[in-house]
Each structure stands twice: as C-alpha cells, then as structure tokens.
Amino acid sequence: SLTRSTLFEKQMSVISLTDGFPQEKSMDRLWMVNVCRRSCAWCQQLKPQWDLLARRLQHTVHVGYWDADMEVPIPALFGELDGTPSVFGLRPPIPLATDIVNVSTKAVRYKGRLLTKDLMRFAAELAPSRVMQIADPDAWLAFETLSVQRRLPRVVAFLNKSLLAPTPPILRSLSVDYDERLLLGEVRLSSHQDSSAAVSIAREYDIVQLPAIIALNGHELIRFQSYPTYTRLHEFFEQEVLEKVHTKQ
C-alpha cells in the first residue's frame, strides 16, 4: 500500500515506498527513486528539488522515495549503498521500446548533480520510447510507410533540439501509451546543426513556430493549437485524432 511521510507530505505527487516494492507497484513507466533518511541533512536539502521533479514529470514518470530509517530492509535491487541520498532510475521490467532490452527491473544509479534539470535529463535518457526520430527524407519515408502498413495515424512533433538531446519525457510516455493506436515521430530543428532536410519537412507543413505538433491521417492534417502537456496531448489524441479515425471507419 502507499503511505505518506511528513518528509514529503506537502507534495502528493511523490510516492512513499514500503515493503513490496517494486513487485506490488505499477512498473508501466520509469521510476525515479530517492533512498533517503529523515535524519539526513543532505536529504532535506534535496527535498525541494525532488518535489519539483515530481511536478515536472507528472503523468510521465513515477517519482518516489524510500525511507532508509524504516525497519524494512532496503530492496536488494538498489545494491550496497554508501550513503544517502542515493538516487536511482528503475526501468520497466518488459521491453517496451527498441532501445531498451532489459527483461527484468533494473536500477540505474544516478551520479550527477542533485538539481531538477539534471535529474530530468537522466529520467529522459532512461525512459522507454517508441518515438521515431526523423532527420532525413529516408526516415520520413520509413515513418510514412510504417503508418500505411499498420493503418495508424501519424503525430509529428517539431522541436528546437539537437539530434543528441534526449526525447522529452512527455513524448516518450505518450509513444508507449499509444503504441497500438498511433505513430509518434519527432523532427529536430536546431541552428547548431545541418538540418536542411528537417527544415524542408517543416516548410512543407507550414511550421513557423516551435514547438509545433501536427497529426496526419491520410491526407488530412490536424494542428495541435496549445502548449504541449501530457494532459492536453492526451485529449488531442483522443478527441481530435483518434476520434476522426473511428468516424472514418
């Protein structure tokens, strides 16, 4: 069962973990887990960053903490700890994406700075994804062909990011949630790289401001008209993209 400790009582998005984790918890998404102690001053300093991380990753990543002061032994998958706080990313136990091949829950130790932006990047790099990165005409053709073969609408996100930047957690999460219902791709447009092919694709669909998201269902184009959040994109997929697919069928 879920419990709440006064250590994080003001931020209800942070989940307090007890014995039975991870077997008794949902492992459909990446978990970010902070192993901490109430008596640890460093843990108290991390608290505001961890609270903010939970808010920023809401709907996309489970954010929790394990109180090492409990009498319950720390889960074995965290290994030997050399102190607190100790932060881990727990990948889902099944292969949800082509770039993740683990078949059991794996804890990856975080060794970077304990700042929200760095923790978010770590989460983005670990989270499963089915987003197709489209960097040239061949990739666009493959994306289009797969859409026809699977009879699924396409959603394309145009982002101001370099090719080396991780896919945003929102897109990663949605790509897994809607894996059997639509295809999700991303086109990177950055002044720091040669993106002539990406620019051509953006021009073809009159993309003038980033980020931009469009849905392609056959010859029909539907534009997402708001700032992208998980909830807004979920509603867009359900009410404007997939609803039209059902209507056509």
Side-chain angles (χ1 to χ4, degrees):
S1 60
L2 298 182
T3 62
R4 304 287 177 182
S5 165
T6 54
L7 184 62
F8 290 99
E9 63 183 359
K10 293 183 179 179
Q11 177 50 45
M12 299 304 287
S13 295
V14 177
I15 303 171
S16 174
L17 305 172
T18 59
D19 58 328
F21 179 80
Q23 290 80 8
E24 296 180 3
K25 298 294 181 288
S26 172
M27 296 302 294
D28 58 327
R29 302 187 189 284
L30 176 76
W31 275 87
M32 289 288 288
V33 177
N34 172 24
V35 180
C36 56
R37 297 181 186 275
R38 300 187 194 187
S39 56
C40 170
W42 293 107
C43 298
Q44 294 293 343
Q45 290 184 21
L46 175 59
K47 178 185 178 300
Q49 301 288 336
W50 203 250
D51 289 346
L52 181 58
L53 181 72
R55 292 195 294 271
R56 294 277 177 85
L57 297 182
Q58 189 176 14
H59 302 302
T60 63
V61 174
H62 298 303
V63 178
Y65 78 99
W66 180 278
D67 186 351
D69 284 332
M70 293 189 302
E71 295 182 0
V72 179
I74 297 174
L77 82 168
F78 294 133
E80 294 291 330
L81 301 182
D82 54 8
T84 57
S86 293
V87 173
F88 296 87
L90 274 64
R91 288 175 169 173
I94 56 177
L96 292 176
T98 56
D99 62 337
I100 294 180
V101 296
N102 58 296
V103 293
S104 61
T105 303
K106 179 181 179 182
V108 180
R109 180 75 176 268
Y110 174 70
K111 299 180 180 179
R113 297 184 302 174
L114 295 176
L115 299 176
T116 301
K117 64 178 183 179
D118 297 312
L119 291 165
M120 287 183 64
R121 184 178 181 87
F122 176 71
E125 291 172 346
L126 281 184
S129 174
R130 290 192 182 277
V131 179
M132 296 182 64
Q133 193 169 114
I134 303 165
D136 54 54
D138 289 340
W140 181 263
L141 178 60
F143 185 55
E144 185 176 32
T145 300
L146 187 60
S147 171
V148 173
Q149 292 174 344
R150 297 182 62 185
R151 297 183 179 180
L152 298 176
R154 290 171 288 161
V155 174
V156 187
F158 294 85
L159 307 174
N160 182 19
K161 287 182 174 291
S162 71
L163 294 176
L164 298 179
T167 297
I170 290 176
L171 295 184
R172 284 176 171 259
S173 181
L174 287 166
S175 74
V176 173
D177 293 347
Y178 285 88
D179 178 51
E180 300 297 328
R181 304 175 66 190
L182 55 80
L183 297 180
L184 189 55
E186 61 177 328
V187 176
R188 306 287 184 94
L189 296 146
S190 172
S191 59
H192 302 294
Q193 64 190 32
D194 180 10
S195 56
S196 56
V199 169
S200 296
I201 295 172
R203 286 175 177 170
E204 180 179 353
Y205 294 97
D206 296 323
I207 303 300
V208 295
Q209 186 175 357
L210 302 176
I213 297 175
I214 63 173
L216 300 169
N217 184 21
H219 297 291
E220 183 179 12
L221 185 151
I222 310 168
R223 296 186 187 276
F224 177 69
Q225 301 287 356
S226 183
Y227 183 80
T229 66
Y230 181 93
T231 300
R232 290 170 181 169
L233 286 171
H234 169 74
E235 293 176 351
F236 174 65
F237 292 172
E238 293 291 339
Q239 299 174 11
E240 298 190 48
V241 181
L242 296 174
E243 182 63 29
K244 293 187 177 183
V245 173
H246 297 323
T247 301
K248 287 184 177 182
Q249 293 176 344

